[in-house]
Amino acid sequence: QKEVEQNSGPLSVPEGAIASLNCTYSDRGSQSFFWYRQYSGKSPELIMSIYSNGDKEDGRFTAQLNKASQYVSLLIRDSQPSDSATYLCAVNTPGGYNKLIFGAGTRLAVHP
Amino acid sequence: ETGVTQTPRHLVMGMTNKKSLKCEQHLGHNAMYWYKQSAKKPLELMFVYSLEERVENNSVPSRFSPECPNSSHLFLHLHTLQPEDSALYLCASSQVGKDRGGSNTIYFGEGSWLTVV
């Protein structure tokens, strides 16, 4: 079983719509959860981090965490073509060293 | 200037060559990482240096050799690589607590694109 699972996509949404990206993880002891955005040919950049159950909002982005169900999601409101990228879910494993386990990423395409 | 810088950005090397990737972080962090990103695969953690202790992924072949002379600099020495080692190699850094735990954010460099011919 993969430790962090994401739908590879592509997820295609029209400009202005809400994009919903989902991620599930296998280790119940995981405490920290991150969403990174990666444009083609570039390195990952952090969008959101979330540590507690519930929602966390930052501008057009909302991260949602449900530890009981072991899933974390990212909502992008008012999607723009510039949001087109691969979104990586990452989970911090227990045991230290900030060892992040990444999902394979979901490719998002926002079309005008 | 970005917080984590990597050189070279692009490298083409033959299977018999020896080369090194360099990384420098300007964020005052105490942990540095090497990740490998191959096409259509998840980011794979190769090595961690945290609080002067090296932690490695046992699946990393010995043809990859890390070196961390201090908390700001990290190298990945490459020798006798194979074509399947062609990938994007990402350096990252973060701050960890003295108990080696922590949930602090990891920041990536721009990456070094490696092609083995």
PDB file of all heavy atoms in Angstrom, chain B residues 68-105:
ATOM      1  N   CYS B  68      28.288  16.429   4.054  1.00  0.00           N
ATOM      2  CA  CYS B  68      27.740  17.625   4.687  1.00  0.00           C
ATOM      3  C   CYS B  68      28.797  18.223   5.604  1.00  0.00           C
ATOM      4  O   CYS B  68      28.857  17.884   6.793  1.00  0.00           O
ATOM      5  CB  CYS B  68      26.470  17.289   5.463  1.00  0.00           C
ATOM      6  SG  CYS B  68      25.559  18.726   6.054  1.00  0.00           S
ATOM      7  N   PRO B  69      29.651  19.109   5.089  1.00  0.00           N
ATOM      8  CA  PRO B  69      30.749  19.644   5.896  1.00  0.00           C
ATOM      9  C   PRO B  69      30.290  20.567   7.019  1.00  0.00           C
ATOM     10  O   PRO B  69      30.998  20.708   8.024  1.00  0.00           O
ATOM     11  CB  PRO B  69      31.602  20.404   4.870  1.00  0.00           C
ATOM     12  CG  PRO B  69      30.657  20.716   3.753  1.00  0.00           C
ATOM     13  CD  PRO B  69      29.671  19.598   3.708  1.00  0.00           C
ATOM     14  N   ASN B  70      29.141  21.190   6.859  1.00  0.00           N
ATOM     15  CA  ASN B  70      28.575  22.048   7.907  1.00  0.00           C
ATOM     16  C   ASN B  70      27.088  22.185   7.659  1.00  0.00           C
ATOM     17  O   ASN B  70      26.575  21.669   6.657  1.00  0.00           O
ATOM     18  CB  ASN B  70      29.269  23.419   7.937  1.00  0.00           C
ATOM     19  CG  ASN B  70      29.249  24.109   6.596  1.00  0.00           C
ATOM     20  OD1 ASN B  70      28.171  24.403   6.059  1.00  0.00           O
ATOM     21  ND2 ASN B  70      30.431  24.372   6.034  1.00  0.00           N
ATOM     22  N   SER B  71      26.394  22.878   8.513  1.00  0.00           N
ATOM     23  CA  SER B  71      24.935  22.908   8.429  1.00  0.00           C
ATOM     24  C   SER B  71      24.423  23.705   7.238  1.00  0.00           C
ATOM     25  O   SER B  71      23.226  23.656   6.943  1.00  0.00           O
ATOM     26  CB  SER B  71      24.357  23.503   9.723  1.00  0.00           C
ATOM     27  OG  SER B  71      24.823  24.833   9.908  1.00  0.00           O
ATOM     28  N   SER B  72      25.295  24.413   6.549  1.00  0.00           N
ATOM     29  CA  SER B  72      24.844  25.238   5.421  1.00  0.00           C
ATOM     30  C   SER B  72      25.149  24.633   4.062  1.00  0.00           C
ATOM     31  O   SER B  72      24.627  25.112   3.058  1.00  0.00           O
ATOM     32  CB  SER B  72      25.504  26.633   5.480  1.00  0.00           C
ATOM     33  OG  SER B  72      25.157  27.304   6.660  1.00  0.00           O
ATOM     34  N   HIS B  73      25.999  23.634   4.027  1.00  0.00           N
ATOM     35  CA  HIS B  73      26.449  23.093   2.740  1.00  0.00           C
ATOM     36  C   HIS B  73      26.219  21.582   2.670  1.00  0.00           C
ATOM     37  O   HIS B  73      26.426  20.865   3.648  1.00  0.00           O
ATOM     38  CB  HIS B  73      27.944  23.379   2.524  1.00  0.00           C
ATOM     39  CG  HIS B  73      28.253  24.831   2.376  1.00  0.00           C
ATOM     40  ND1 HIS B  73      28.475  25.656   3.465  1.00  0.00           N
ATOM     41  CD2 HIS B  73      28.352  25.612   1.269  1.00  0.00           C
ATOM     42  CE1 HIS B  73      28.715  26.886   3.035  1.00  0.00           C
ATOM     43  NE2 HIS B  73      28.646  26.883   1.719  1.00  0.00           N
ATOM     44  N   LEU B  74      25.817  21.160   1.500  1.00  0.00           N
ATOM     45  CA  LEU B  74      25.550  19.742   1.273  1.00  0.00           C
ATOM     46  C   LEU B  74      25.992  19.394  -0.140  1.00  0.00           C
ATOM     47  O   LEU B  74      25.754  20.159  -1.074  1.00  0.00           O
ATOM     48  CB  LEU B  74      24.050  19.455   1.434  1.00  0.00           C
ATOM     49  CG  LEU B  74      23.593  18.012   1.314  1.00  0.00           C
ATOM     50  CD1 LEU B  74      24.161  17.176   2.463  1.00  0.00           C
ATOM     51  CD2 LEU B  74      22.072  17.951   1.318  1.00  0.00           C
ATOM     52  N   PHE B  75      26.651  18.253  -0.267  1.00  0.00           N
ATOM     53  CA  PHE B  75      27.102  17.786  -1.570  1.00  0.00           C
ATOM     54  C   PHE B  75      26.519  16.400  -1.833  1.00  0.00           C
ATOM     55  O   PHE B  75      26.210  15.644  -0.906  1.00  0.00           O
ATOM     56  CB  PHE B  75      28.640  17.694  -1.622  1.00  0.00           C
ATOM     57  CG  PHE B  75      29.334  19.011  -1.459  1.00  0.00           C
ATOM     58  CD1 PHE B  75      29.676  19.481  -0.193  1.00  0.00           C
ATOM     59  CD2 PHE B  75      29.664  19.778  -2.562  1.00  0.00           C
ATOM     60  CE1 PHE B  75      30.327  20.707  -0.034  1.00  0.00           C
ATOM     61  CE2 PHE B  75      30.321  20.996  -2.415  1.00  0.00           C
ATOM     62  CZ  PHE B  75      30.642  21.451  -1.147  1.00  0.00           C
ATOM     63  N   LEU B  76      26.388  16.092  -3.110  1.00  0.00           N
ATOM     64  CA  LEU B  76      26.062  14.731  -3.517  1.00  0.00           C
ATOM     65  C   LEU B  76      27.082  14.326  -4.561  1.00  0.00           C
ATOM     66  O   LEU B  76      27.098  14.863  -5.673  1.00  0.00           O
ATOM     67  CB  LEU B  76      24.639  14.646  -4.081  1.00  0.00           C
ATOM     68  CG  LEU B  76      24.137  13.235  -4.383  1.00  0.00           C
ATOM     69  CD1 LEU B  76      24.067  12.388  -3.102  1.00  0.00           C
ATOM     70  CD2 LEU B  76      22.764  13.276  -5.056  1.00  0.00           C
ATOM     71  N   HIS B  77      27.978  13.423  -4.176  1.00  0.00           N
ATOM     72  CA  HIS B  77      29.016  12.952  -5.078  1.00  0.00           C
ATOM     73  C   HIS B  77      28.478  11.784  -5.901  1.00  0.00           C
ATOM     74  O   HIS B  77      27.849  10.870  -5.354  1.00  0.00           O
ATOM     75  CB  HIS B  77      30.261  12.534  -4.284  1.00  0.00           C
ATOM     76  CG  HIS B  77      30.804  13.629  -3.416  1.00  0.00           C
ATOM     77  ND1 HIS B  77      31.237  14.837  -3.924  1.00  0.00           N
ATOM     78  CD2 HIS B  77      30.975  13.704  -2.072  1.00  0.00           C
ATOM     79  CE1 HIS B  77      31.655  15.615  -2.938  1.00  0.00           C
ATOM     80  NE2 HIS B  77      31.507  14.949  -1.801  1.00  0.00           N
ATOM     81  N   LEU B  78      28.751  11.863  -7.189  1.00  0.00           N
ATOM     82  CA  LEU B  78      28.194  10.906  -8.136  1.00  0.00           C
ATOM     83  C   LEU B  78      29.322  10.169  -8.849  1.00  0.00           C
ATOM     84  O   LEU B  78      30.267  10.814  -9.342  1.00  0.00           O
ATOM     85  CB  LEU B  78      27.356  11.643  -9.187  1.00  0.00           C
ATOM     86  CG  LEU B  78      26.396  12.724  -8.656  1.00  0.00           C
ATOM     87  CD1 LEU B  78      25.851  13.538  -9.826  1.00  0.00           C
ATOM     88  CD2 LEU B  78      25.294  12.090  -7.849  1.00  0.00           C
ATOM     89  N   HIS B  79      29.256   8.869  -8.923  1.00  0.00           N
ATOM     90  CA  HIS B  79      30.275   8.127  -9.673  1.00  0.00           C
ATOM     91  C   HIS B  79      29.690   6.837 -10.225  1.00  0.00           C
ATOM     92  O   HIS B  79      28.892   6.167  -9.576  1.00  0.00           O
ATOM     93  CB  HIS B  79      31.509   7.847  -8.796  1.00  0.00           C
ATOM     94  CG  HIS B  79      31.226   6.968  -7.618  1.00  0.00           C
ATOM     95  ND1 HIS B  79      31.488   5.615  -7.617  1.00  0.00           N
ATOM     96  CD2 HIS B  79      30.727   7.244  -6.409  1.00  0.00           C
ATOM     97  CE1 HIS B  79      31.144   5.116  -6.433  1.00  0.00           C
ATOM     98  NE2 HIS B  79      30.700   6.075  -5.688  1.00  0.00           N
ATOM     99  N   THR B  80      30.105   6.527 -11.434  1.00  0.00           N
ATOM    100  CA  THR B  80      29.648   5.348 -12.175  1.00  0.00           C
ATOM    101  C   THR B  80      28.132   5.216 -12.154  1.00  0.00           C
ATOM    102  O   THR B  80      27.574   4.163 -11.795  1.00  0.00           O
ATOM    103  CB  THR B  80      30.304   4.046 -11.661  1.00  0.00           C
ATOM    104  OG1 THR B  80      29.985   3.857 -10.279  1.00  0.00           O
ATOM    105  CG2 THR B  80      31.801   4.098 -11.839  1.00  0.00           C
ATOM    106  N   LEU B  81      27.477   6.308 -12.519  1.00  0.00           N
ATOM    107  CA  LEU B  81      26.014   6.290 -12.534  1.00  0.00           C
ATOM    108  C   LEU B  81      25.485   5.513 -13.734  1.00  0.00           C
ATOM    109  O   LEU B  81      26.209   5.242 -14.698  1.00  0.00           O
ATOM    110  CB  LEU B  81      25.466   7.709 -12.556  1.00  0.00           C
ATOM    111  CG  LEU B  81      25.739   8.572 -11.326  1.00  0.00           C
ATOM    112  CD1 LEU B  81      24.910   9.847 -11.388  1.00  0.00           C
ATOM    113  CD2 LEU B  81      25.472   7.829 -10.034  1.00  0.00           C
ATOM    114  N   GLN B  82      24.211   5.193 -13.664  1.00  0.00           N
ATOM    115  CA  GLN B  82      23.513   4.485 -14.718  1.00  0.00           C
ATOM    116  C   GLN B  82      22.488   5.409 -15.377  1.00  0.00           C
ATOM    117  O   GLN B  82      22.041   6.386 -14.767  1.00  0.00           O
ATOM    118  CB  GLN B  82      22.789   3.270 -14.121  1.00  0.00           C
ATOM    119  CG  GLN B  82      23.709   2.302 -13.389  1.00  0.00           C
ATOM    120  CD  GLN B  82      24.766   1.722 -14.302  1.00  0.00           C
ATOM    121  OE1 GLN B  82      24.456   1.216 -15.375  1.00  0.00           O
ATOM    122  NE2 GLN B  82      26.023   1.800 -13.887  1.00  0.00           N
ATOM    123  N   PRO B  83      22.102   5.117 -16.612  1.00  0.00           N
ATOM    124  CA  PRO B  83      21.115   5.976 -17.279  1.00  0.00           C
ATOM    125  C   PRO B  83      19.828   6.145 -16.469  1.00  0.00           C
ATOM    126  O   PRO B  83      19.218   7.219 -16.509  1.00  0.00           O
ATOM    127  CB  PRO B  83      20.864   5.253 -18.605  1.00  0.00           C
ATOM    128  CG  PRO B  83      22.152   4.548 -18.883  1.00  0.00           C
ATOM    129  CD  PRO B  83      22.660   4.101 -17.523  1.00  0.00           C
ATOM    130  N   GLU B  84      19.440   5.129 -15.713  1.00  0.00           N
ATOM    131  CA  GLU B  84      18.197   5.253 -14.923  1.00  0.00           C
ATOM    132  C   GLU B  84      18.334   6.212 -13.749  1.00  0.00           C
ATOM    133  O   GLU B  84      17.340   6.523 -13.066  1.00  0.00           O
ATOM    134  CB  GLU B  84      17.742   3.874 -14.406  1.00  0.00           C
ATOM    135  CG  GLU B  84      18.739   3.166 -13.521  1.00  0.00           C
ATOM    136  CD  GLU B  84      19.601   2.168 -14.293  1.00  0.00           C
ATOM    137  OE1 GLU B  84      19.849   2.384 -15.501  1.00  0.00           O
ATOM    138  OE2 GLU B  84      20.036   1.169 -13.666  1.00  0.00           O
ATOM    139  N   ASP B  85      19.548   6.690 -13.503  1.00  0.00           N
ATOM    140  CA  ASP B  85      19.754   7.693 -12.465  1.00  0.00           C
ATOM    141  C   ASP B  85      19.440   9.102 -12.964  1.00  0.00           C
ATOM    142  O   ASP B  85      19.459  10.057 -12.178  1.00  0.00           O
ATOM    143  CB  ASP B  85      21.194   7.653 -11.949  1.00  0.00           C
ATOM    144  CG  ASP B  85      21.536   6.337 -11.279  1.00  0.00           C
ATOM    145  OD1 ASP B  85      20.659   5.784 -10.573  1.00  0.00           O
ATOM    146  OD2 ASP B  85      22.674   5.848 -11.471  1.00  0.00           O
ATOM    147  N   SER B  86      19.177   9.224 -14.237  1.00  0.00           N
ATOM    148  CA  SER B  86      18.796  10.526 -14.787  1.00  0.00           C
ATOM    149  C   SER B  86      17.500  10.978 -14.120  1.00  0.00           C
ATOM    150  O   SER B  86      16.497  10.255 -14.124  1.00  0.00           O
ATOM    151  CB  SER B  86      18.601  10.431 -16.303  1.00  0.00           C
ATOM    152  OG  SER B  86      19.802  10.034 -16.940  1.00  0.00           O
ATOM    153  N   ALA B  87      17.540  12.175 -13.545  1.00  0.00           N
ATOM    154  CA  ALA B  87      16.388  12.660 -12.778  1.00  0.00           C
ATOM    155  C   ALA B  87      16.657  14.095 -12.345  1.00  0.00           C
ATOM    156  O   ALA B  87      17.726  14.648 -12.602  1.00  0.00           O
ATOM    157  CB  ALA B  87      16.154  11.782 -11.545  1.00  0.00           C
ATOM    158  N   LEU B  88      15.690  14.653 -11.653  1.00  0.00           N
ATOM    159  CA  LEU B  88      15.861  15.954 -10.999  1.00  0.00           C
ATOM    160  C   LEU B  88      16.253  15.684  -9.547  1.00  0.00           C
ATOM    161  O   LEU B  88      15.550  14.970  -8.836  1.00  0.00           O
ATOM    162  CB  LEU B  88      14.561  16.749 -11.046  1.00  0.00           C
ATOM    163  CG  LEU B  88      14.550  18.091 -10.299  1.00  0.00           C
ATOM    164  CD1 LEU B  88      15.528  19.077 -10.934  1.00  0.00           C
ATOM    165  CD2 LEU B  88      13.132  18.678 -10.282  1.00  0.00           C
ATOM    166  N   TYR B  89      17.379  16.239  -9.139  1.00  0.00           N
ATOM    167  CA  TYR B  89      17.845  16.054  -7.764  1.00  0.00           C
ATOM    168  C   TYR B  89      17.617  17.359  -7.011  1.00  0.00           C
ATOM    169  O   TYR B  89      18.121  18.420  -7.389  1.00  0.00           O
ATOM    170  CB  TYR B  89      19.313  15.624  -7.745  1.00  0.00           C
ATOM    171  CG  TYR B  89      19.459  14.214  -8.237  1.00  0.00           C
ATOM    172  CD1 TYR B  89      19.537  13.947  -9.603  1.00  0.00           C
ATOM    173  CD2 TYR B  89      19.448  13.134  -7.357  1.00  0.00           C
ATOM    174  CE1 TYR B  89      19.609  12.635 -10.071  1.00  0.00           C
ATOM    175  CE2 TYR B  89      19.528  11.828  -7.813  1.00  0.00           C
ATOM    176  CZ  TYR B  89      19.602  11.591  -9.164  1.00  0.00           C
ATOM    177  OH  TYR B  89      19.662  10.290  -9.633  1.00  0.00           O
ATOM    178  N   LEU B  90      16.849  17.242  -5.941  1.00  0.00           N
ATOM    179  CA  LEU B  90      16.435  18.406  -5.187  1.00  0.00           C
ATOM    180  C   LEU B  90      17.086  18.414  -3.816  1.00  0.00           C
ATOM    181  O   LEU B  90      17.040  17.420  -3.086  1.00  0.00           O
ATOM    182  CB  LEU B  90      14.913  18.415  -5.012  1.00  0.00           C
ATOM    183  CG  LEU B  90      14.106  18.672  -6.279  1.00  0.00           C
ATOM    184  CD1 LEU B  90      12.680  18.183  -6.114  1.00  0.00           C
ATOM    185  CD2 LEU B  90      14.116  20.155  -6.617  1.00  0.00           C
ATOM    186  N   CYS B  91      17.666  19.536  -3.489  1.00  0.00           N
ATOM    187  CA  CYS B  91      18.188  19.762  -2.149  1.00  0.00           C
ATOM    188  C   CYS B  91      17.135  20.528  -1.369  1.00  0.00           C
ATOM    189  O   CYS B  91      16.377  21.333  -1.942  1.00  0.00           O
ATOM    190  CB  CYS B  91      19.485  20.554  -2.228  1.00  0.00           C
ATOM    191  SG  CYS B  91      20.188  21.026  -0.631  1.00  0.00           S
ATOM    192  N   ALA B  92      17.067  20.295  -0.075  1.00  0.00           N
ATOM    193  CA  ALA B  92      16.098  21.003   0.763  1.00  0.00           C
ATOM    194  C   ALA B  92      16.686  21.204   2.140  1.00  0.00           C
ATOM    195  O   ALA B  92      17.664  20.552   2.524  1.00  0.00           O
ATOM    196  CB  ALA B  92      14.791  20.221   0.846  1.00  0.00           C
ATOM    197  N   SER B  93      16.070  22.116   2.882  1.00  0.00           N
ATOM    198  CA  SER B  93      16.506  22.326   4.264  1.00  0.00           C
ATOM    199  C   SER B  93      15.306  22.605   5.146  1.00  0.00           C
ATOM    200  O   SER B  93      14.227  22.986   4.663  1.00  0.00           O
ATOM    201  CB  SER B  93      17.514  23.479   4.352  1.00  0.00           C
ATOM    202  OG  SER B  93      16.874  24.731   4.158  1.00  0.00           O
ATOM    203  N   SER B  94      15.496  22.392   6.452  1.00  0.00           N
ATOM    204  CA  SER B  94      14.466  22.720   7.422  1.00  0.00           C
ATOM    205  C   SER B  94      15.112  22.874   8.788  1.00  0.00           C
ATOM    206  O   SER B  94      16.312  22.606   8.968  1.00  0.00           O
ATOM    207  CB  SER B  94      13.385  21.635   7.481  1.00  0.00           C
ATOM    208  OG  SER B  94      13.841  20.496   8.183  1.00  0.00           O
ATOM    209  N   GLN B  95      14.319  23.280   9.748  1.00  0.00           N
ATOM    210  CA  GLN B  95      14.769  23.375  11.123  1.00  0.00           C
ATOM    211  C   GLN B  95      14.142  22.225  11.902  1.00  0.00           C
ATOM    212  O   GLN B  95      12.943  21.975  11.793  1.00  0.00           O
ATOM    213  CB  GLN B  95      14.351  24.724  11.726  1.00  0.00           C
ATOM    214  CG  GLN B  95      14.894  24.990  13.103  1.00  0.00           C
ATOM    215  CD  GLN B  95      16.401  25.227  13.111  1.00  0.00           C
ATOM    216  OE1 GLN B  95      17.011  25.447  12.067  1.00  0.00           O
ATOM    217  NE2 GLN B  95      16.996  25.170  14.282  1.00  0.00           N
ATOM    218  N   VAL B  96      14.953  21.499  12.650  1.00  0.00           N
ATOM    219  CA  VAL B  96      14.414  20.428  13.485  1.00  0.00           C
ATOM    220  C   VAL B  96      14.791  20.698  14.927  1.00  0.00           C
ATOM    221  O   VAL B  96      15.782  21.373  15.218  1.00  0.00           O
ATOM    222  CB  VAL B  96      14.932  19.035  13.053  1.00  0.00           C
ATOM    223  CG1 VAL B  96      14.493  18.727  11.647  1.00  0.00           C
ATOM    224  CG2 VAL B  96      16.433  18.933  13.174  1.00  0.00           C
ATOM    225  N   GLY B  97      13.973  20.140  15.848  1.00  0.00           N
ATOM    226  CA  GLY B  97      14.240  20.323  17.266  1.00  0.00           C
ATOM    227  C   GLY B  97      15.339  19.394  17.734  1.00  0.00           C
ATOM    228  O   GLY B  97      15.763  18.486  17.015  1.00  0.00           O
ATOM    229  N   LYS B  98      15.788  19.609  18.964  1.00  0.00           N
ATOM    230  CA  LYS B  98      16.882  18.796  19.495  1.00  0.00           C
ATOM    231  C   LYS B  98      16.478  17.351  19.665  1.00  0.00           C
ATOM    232  O   LYS B  98      17.318  16.456  19.725  1.00  0.00           O
ATOM    233  CB  LYS B  98      17.371  19.376  20.827  1.00  0.00           C
ATOM    234  CG  LYS B  98      18.098  20.708  20.669  1.00  0.00           C
ATOM    235  CD  LYS B  98      18.641  21.206  21.980  1.00  0.00           C
ATOM    236  CE  LYS B  98      19.400  22.525  21.761  1.00  0.00           C
ATOM    237  NZ  LYS B  98      19.933  23.064  23.039  1.00  0.00           N
ATOM    238  N   ASP B  99      15.173  17.091  19.738  1.00  0.00           N
ATOM    239  CA  ASP B  99      14.723  15.704  19.824  1.00  0.00           C
ATOM    240  C   ASP B  99      14.606  15.078  18.443  1.00  0.00           C
ATOM    241  O   ASP B  99      14.094  13.980  18.295  1.00  0.00           O
ATOM    242  CB  ASP B  99      13.378  15.631  20.544  1.00  0.00           C
ATOM    243  CG  ASP B  99      12.286  16.409  19.812  1.00  0.00           C
ATOM    244  OD1 ASP B  99      12.593  17.086  18.818  1.00  0.00           O
ATOM    245  OD2 ASP B  99      11.144  16.347  20.252  1.00  0.00           O
ATOM    246  N   ARG B 100      15.094  15.808  17.448  1.00  0.00           N
ATOM    247  CA  ARG B 100      15.078  15.379  16.055  1.00  0.00           C
ATOM    248  C   ARG B 100      13.671  15.280  15.495  1.00  0.00           C
ATOM    249  O   ARG B 100      13.470  14.806  14.395  1.00  0.00           O
ATOM    250  CB  ARG B 100      15.819  14.044  15.853  1.00  0.00           C
ATOM    251  CG  ARG B 100      17.292  14.152  16.141  1.00  0.00           C
ATOM    252  CD  ARG B 100      18.029  12.844  15.974  1.00  0.00           C
ATOM    253  NE  ARG B 100      19.458  13.024  16.129  1.00  0.00           N
ATOM    254  CZ  ARG B 100      20.057  13.196  17.292  1.00  0.00           C
ATOM    255  NH1 ARG B 100      19.359  13.223  18.398  1.00  0.00           N
ATOM    256  NH2 ARG B 100      21.367  13.349  17.353  1.00  0.00           N
ATOM    257  N   GLY B 101      12.707  15.697  16.243  1.00  0.00           N
ATOM    258  CA  GLY B 101      11.348  15.728  15.738  1.00  0.00           C
ATOM    259  C   GLY B 101      11.055  17.081  15.148  1.00  0.00           C
ATOM    260  O   GLY B 101      11.919  17.932  15.023  1.00  0.00           O
ATOM    261  N   GLY B 102       9.845  17.273  14.790  1.00  0.00           N
ATOM    262  CA  GLY B 102       9.489  18.585  14.286  1.00  0.00           C
ATOM    263  C   GLY B 102       8.567  18.503  13.110  1.00  0.00           C
ATOM    264  O   GLY B 102       8.558  17.537  12.369  1.00  0.00           O
ATOM    265  N   SER B 103       7.804  19.523  12.998  1.00  0.00           N
ATOM    266  CA  SER B 103       6.864  19.582  11.884  1.00  0.00           C
ATOM    267  C   SER B 103       7.153  20.787  11.025  1.00  0.00           C
ATOM    268  O   SER B 103       6.298  21.281  10.334  1.00  0.00           O
ATOM    269  CB  SER B 103       5.441  19.646  12.436  1.00  0.00           C
ATOM    270  OG  SER B 103       5.328  20.768  13.298  1.00  0.00           O
ATOM    271  N   ASN B 104       8.373  21.266  11.089  1.00  0.00           N
ATOM    272  CA  ASN B 104       8.694  22.483  10.372  1.00  0.00           C
ATOM    273  C   ASN B 104       8.800  22.254   8.883  1.00  0.00           C
ATOM    274  O   ASN B 104       9.135  21.179   8.416  1.00  0.00           O
ATOM    275  CB  ASN B 104       9.997  23.074  10.915  1.00  0.00           C
ATOM    276  CG  ASN B 104       9.829  23.526  12.355  1.00  0.00           C
ATOM    277  OD1 ASN B 104       8.790  24.039  12.727  1.00  0.00           O
ATOM    278  ND2 ASN B 104      10.840  23.314  13.154  1.00  0.00           N
ATOM    279  N   THR B 105       8.545  23.323   8.166  1.00  0.00           N
ATOM    280  CA  THR B 105       8.457  23.249   6.717  1.00  0.00           C
ATOM    281  C   THR B 105       9.810  22.956   6.094  1.00  0.00           C
ATOM    282  O   THR B 105      10.846  23.450   6.535  1.00  0.00           O
ATOM    283  CB  THR B 105       7.918  24.577   6.186  1.00  0.00           C
ATOM    284  OG1 THR B 105       6.654  24.829   6.796  1.00  0.00           O
ATOM    285  CG2 THR B 105       7.747  24.524   4.672  1.00  0.00           C
TER     286      THR B 105
END
